């Protein structure tokens, strides 16, 4: 019993910890080496602590909180008071339990750090990916904007303005056209009910051919049809557009 008491006191003294960490005094070094050489339980605890220390060194360079070990040994010390009542349990078993508990708590601590780092890395990767996409979109938008400006300002681009002040409001529709492309810019249209839409037509050899239902601000239309057209016309049609122009509902026309 005296021997077991000495082993317990030595394990709880922290001398073995300081010896393993290289922080023991000369007297503590001698004491630790004596206990390691004398008691198998202490030798086992020493070997386990070395293994745990090496494993932690490989896992991370971060140190656990200083009070982690104190809290752990405080819990173990409390449990040991109850274990003392059971003669069948040796201090060797207690030492093994202590080392296993230290290893388990350490493992949980480092797993928590690893999870936090992984989550932060995933967050940063997501933010970086989002930033990359925004940059690409901005570059694409700038390129598209430059192309639009070049198209609109090109001396080869003709501009046809269909404009009229109506009882419902101001109508202003501009068609930009060259040999490669034709675009309709719906600047303003008097508001209609939900049952009707404005529709743009091209007069080709006396036949009214639909170019677009004017339900968007910016529309691409068929260049080949405008090439052959003698006029552009806007009528009011049923919602979604008609196959044939309703001439009596003509709002404005322009010879080209």
């Amino acid at each position: 019993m005296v021997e077991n008491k000495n082993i317990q006191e030595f394990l709880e003294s922290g001398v073995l910890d300081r010896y393993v960490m290289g922080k023991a005094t000369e007297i503590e070094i001698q004491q630790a080496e004596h206990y390691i050489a004398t008691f198998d339980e202490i030798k086992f605890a020493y070997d386990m602590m070395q293994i745990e220390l090496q494993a932690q060194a490989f896992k991370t360079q971060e140190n656990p909180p200083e009070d982690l070990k104190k809290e752990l040994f405080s819990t173990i010390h409390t449990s040991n008071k109850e274990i003392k009542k059971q003669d069948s349990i040796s201090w060797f078993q207690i030492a093994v339990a202590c080392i296993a508990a230290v290893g388990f708590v350490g493992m949980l601590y480092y797993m928590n750090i690893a999870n936090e780092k992984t989550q932060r890395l995933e967050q940063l990767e997501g933010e970086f990916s989002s930033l990359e996409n925004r940059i690409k979109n901005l570059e694409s938008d700038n390129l598209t904007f430059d192309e639009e400006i070049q198209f609109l300002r090109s001396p080869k681009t003709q501009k046809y303005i269909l404009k009229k002040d109506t009882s419902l409001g101001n109508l202003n529709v501009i068609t930009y056209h060259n040999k490669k492309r034709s675009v309709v810019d719906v600047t303003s249209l008097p508001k209609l009910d939900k049952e009707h839409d404005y529709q743009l037509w091209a007069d080709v050899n006396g036949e009214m051919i639909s170019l677009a239902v004017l339900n968007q601000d910016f529309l691409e239309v068929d260049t080949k049809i405008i090439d052959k057209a003698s006029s552009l016309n806007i009528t009011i049609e049923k919602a979604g557009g008609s196959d044939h122009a309703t001439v009596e509902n003509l709002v404005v026309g322009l010879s080209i």
Side-chain angles (χ1 to χ4, degrees):
M1 294 295 294
V2 175
E3 181 178 287
N4 286 343
K5 183 178 180 181
N6 290 338
I7 292 172
Q8 179 193 6
E9 290 176 352
F10 179 75
L11 285 172
E12 293 178 349
S13 68
V15 173
L16 187 60
D17 300 81
R18 292 191 290 277
Y19 178 74
V20 173
M21 298 296 293
K23 297 181 179 180
T25 64
E26 287 295 327
I27 295 176
E28 288 177 337
I29 291 173
Q30 294 175 9
Q31 184 183 10
E33 290 176 348
H34 168 71
Y35 271 76
I36 291 169
T38 306
F39 302 105
D40 291 339
E41 295 93 331
I42 302 299
K43 177 66 166 60
F44 179 80
Y46 169 70
D47 292 339
M48 292 295 294
M49 291 179 74
Q50 280 195 314
I51 293 171
E52 179 65 17
L53 184 64
Q54 291 174 2
Q56 291 176 5
F58 277 105
K59 287 178 183 177
T60 179
Q61 293 181 352
E62 293 189 43
N63 295 320
E66 291 293 333
D67 58 346
L68 180 62
K69 187 180 294 181
K70 292 180 181 179
E71 292 179 3
L72 175 63
F73 275 100
S74 175
T75 303
I76 294 172
H77 181 68
T78 302
S79 300
N80 284 345
K81 290 180 179 179
E82 299 178 2
I83 293 173
K84 283 181 181 180
K85 298 178 181 178
Q86 303 177 26
D87 294 334
S88 60
I89 299 178
S90 69
W91 282 108
F92 176 75
Q93 291 173 306
I94 295 173
V96 172
C98 289
I99 300 305
V102 171
F104 180 71
V105 174
M107 179 184 69
L108 290 179
Y109 174 76
Y110 289 110
M111 284 179 64
N112 183 56
I113 290 177
N115 288 335
E116 290 179 354
K117 288 185 176 180
T118 300
Q119 291 174 1
R120 179 54 180 161
L121 180 60
E122 290 175 352
Q123 180 184 353
L124 290 174
E125 287 177 347
E127 292 175 356
F128 180 74
S129 177
S130 176
L131 183 59
E132 274 191 323
N133 290 334
R134 287 178 60 190
I135 291 173
K136 289 179 181 178
N137 289 336
L138 286 173
E139 290 175 346
S140 176
D141 290 343
N142 287 335
L143 180 61
T144 302
F145 180 76
D146 290 341
E147 290 174 346
E148 292 297 332
I149 292 297
Q150 290 177 8
F151 167 72
L152 296 176
R153 292 183 177 178
S154 171
K156 296 180 180 181
T157 298
Q158 296 173 301
K159 182 167 67 172
Y160 305 122
I161 302 176
L162 289 89
K163 186 174 182 179
K164 186 175 182 180
D165 290 327
T166 71
S167 59
L168 297 175
N170 178 260
L171 181 149
N172 191 358
V173 176
I174 304 173
T175 300
Y176 298 91
H177 166 72
N178 61 30
K179 294 295 181 181
K180 295 181 179 180
R181 186 183 180 203
S182 295
V183 174
V184 177
D185 179 9
V186 181
T187 304
S188 64
L189 284 175
K191 189 174 181 179
L192 298 174
D193 58 50
K194 295 181 180 180
E195 304 298 324
H196 296 87
D197 279 323
Y198 293 98
Q199 191 165 351
L200 178 65
W201 306 84
D203 186 344
V204 179
N205 298 323
E207 181 183 359
M208 297 286 272
I209 300 175
S210 177
L211 288 171
V213 177
L214 304 181
N215 52 12
Q216 299 179 41
D217 294 336
F218 212 66
L219 298 160
E220 297 274 352
V221 295
D222 194 328
T223 299
K224 294 180 180 179
I225 294 176
I226 296 180
D227 280 339
K228 300 175 182 178
S230 59
S231 69
L232 296 176
N233 306 272
I234 295 177
T235 63
I236 296 176
E237 305 291 343
K238 64 181 181 180
S242 301
D243 294 331
H244 303 284
T246 306
V247 178
E248 57 269 29
N249 288 343
L250 179 69
V251 178
V252 63
L254 175 70
S255 296
I256 59 176

